[in-house]
Amino acid sequence: MGCSKWRAAFNFGHLKVQSKLSVIFTMIILFTYLFYCLNGYCDSLPRPVYDQQSQFQSKIILNDGHEASAQQLGEYNASQVSIVREQLSDLSNSDAPSNNISIANNFGSKKFPQAIIIGVKKGGTRALLEFLRIHPDVRAVGSEPHFFDRFYDKGLEWYRNLMPRTLEGQITMEKTPSYFITKEAPRRVFSMSRHTKLIVVVRDPVTRAVSDYTQTLSKSPGLPSFQNLAFRNATTGLIDTSWSAVRIGIYAKHLENWLRFFPLSRLLFVSGERLVTDPAGEMGRVQDFLGLKRVVTDKHFYFNQTKGFPCLKKPEGSSRPRCLGKSKGRPHPQIPSEVLLRLRDFYRPFNLKFYQMTGHNFGWD
């Protein structure tokens, strides 16, 4: 009996010690949490995914509202509302580590591109892509995938994984200018989707050839002269169409290949010259073709006298405007006028056929 009382007392005392330890441990956790919160560390803790999603969705709804959205925001206009969506889209372009909780990693899906800039090299494709990336409903791959000309054997799933994540209402795009002159590319793109929209930026083929040569010369200073590469025979003036700088500019020949698979309505031809002189006007055509609202307008551009082409005005929150890199806008070498004249004579019949095929006179002759 005495042993039983002693054992019960011991158990009761043991429970009291456990209770005290639990209270002390709980108070330590509570005071530690309060200490960190008072010092502002709680704000840096990741919020639950559902909380991010609800805030994100509310912003998208706000941006997608029509007249009502502008009224609700008062002093903000419709273009300012789209900044929210644009900033969120920029997150999915970043190379943030995959273990971070972010909208880019938890929202949207990777899709095949609905639109591709297929050409042409040195026509203004990089400028067009950078201008399009201003639009909050455009998501584009930064580098050129070269899937349909170099890496087709890697398969469509490999290609799709290169694409950025997109939300409903956004379109996925990529740019690889060499597609336009690749014989197999039209069939391969068609096999992926016959509904793909195709954009071709074209430029005076003579100026384009000189620009192409200038770029190659900057990488290989020992390159022969332009005229030595352009002519098979300098005496007869026979043009060497095997030289890629010349061959790319025969637009009508390459277009025939694409029209075997896609109707003309699936292609948009952008003037490289107008992209310089009237970027807003040409971007209006591009946005209409892609089924987008005309968000990118003349207020986004200014002309850079040094580079000789338009740049994007300073975005909100940025310290400087956005211009294309140093490789763009290089000064061209002096080419003898008789060489350029001979090239113009060579391209004239091809240009006229291209005008007829596209229904648009680009004014190169």
Side-chain angles (χ1 to χ4, degrees), residues 205 249-253 342-357 365:
I250 309 175
Y251 302 141
K253 177 183 176 183
R342 179 70 191 89
L343 264 182
R344 292 206 175 278
D345 290 340
F346 167 76
Y347 279 122
R348 185 168 291 109
F350 296 109
N351 289 345
L352 293 174
K353 185 176 181 180
F354 184 66
Y355 299 166
Q356 185 181 41
M357 293 172 73
D365 301 291

Side-chain angles (χ1 to χ4, degrees), residues 69-120:
S69 63
Q71 293 171 3
Q72 290 170 353
L73 291 173
E75 61 192 40
Y76 291 98
N77 56 34
S79 64
Q80 288 170 313
V81 177
S82 67
I83 290 172
V84 173
R85 195 167 183 176
E86 182 179 358
Q87 289 172 340
L88 292 170
S89 295
D90 288 341
L91 289 173
S92 57
N93 260 341
S94 65
D95 297 324
S98 60
N99 59 343
N100 288 346
I101 295 179
S102 67
I103 291 171
N105 292 331
N106 291 290
F107 297 96
S109 58
K110 294 189 175 188
K111 302 172 185 174
F112 293 122
Q114 294 101 316
I116 305 176
I117 301 174
I118 60 172
V120 298

Side-chain angles (χ1 to χ4, degrees), residues 60 63 78-79 81-90 132-139 167 169-171 287 292-293 295-296 300:
I60 296 301
N63 180 53
S79 64
V81 177
S82 67
I83 290 172
V84 173
R85 195 167 183 176
E86 182 179 358
Q87 289 172 340
L88 292 170
S89 295
D90 288 341
L132 274 170
R133 287 164 76 100
I134 304 172
H135 202 294
D137 289 336
V138 172
R139 306 292 298 114
L167 303 164
Q170 293 181 320
I171 64 170
Q287 290 171 98
L292 300 170
K293 294 179 182 177
V295 173
V296 185
H300 289 96

Side-chain angles (χ1 to χ4, degrees), residues 221-237:
L223 201 66
S225 67
F226 181 87
Q227 48 269 40
N228 285 345
L229 292 169
F231 295 110
R232 283 186 179 177
N233 188 314
T235 305
T236 61

Side-chain angles (χ1 to χ4, degrees), residues 235-285:
T235 305
T236 61
L238 183 65
I239 302 294
D240 187 358
T241 55
S242 66
W243 185 34
S244 63
V246 170
R247 187 176 71 255
I248 290 172
I250 309 175
Y251 302 141
K253 177 183 176 183
H254 305 305
L255 180 57
E256 285 177 346
N257 194 27
W258 285 90
L259 291 179
R260 291 189 182 100
F261 293 88
F262 291 92
L264 195 62
S265 60
R266 283 279 154 193
L267 290 98
L268 177 71
F269 301 93
V270 176
S271 166
E273 288 82 11
R274 284 199 66 208
L275 205 55
V276 173
T277 60
D278 182 22
E282 209 65 1
M283 287 303 298
R285 293 181 60 238

Side-chain angles (χ1 to χ4, degrees), residues 168-185:
E168 187 161 350
Q170 293 181 320
I171 64 170
T172 305
M173 292 190 66
E174 71 117 312
K175 168 191 90 78
T176 306
S178 52
Y179 290 163
F180 188 61
I181 64 167
T182 301
K183 186 177 180 180
E184 299 81 11

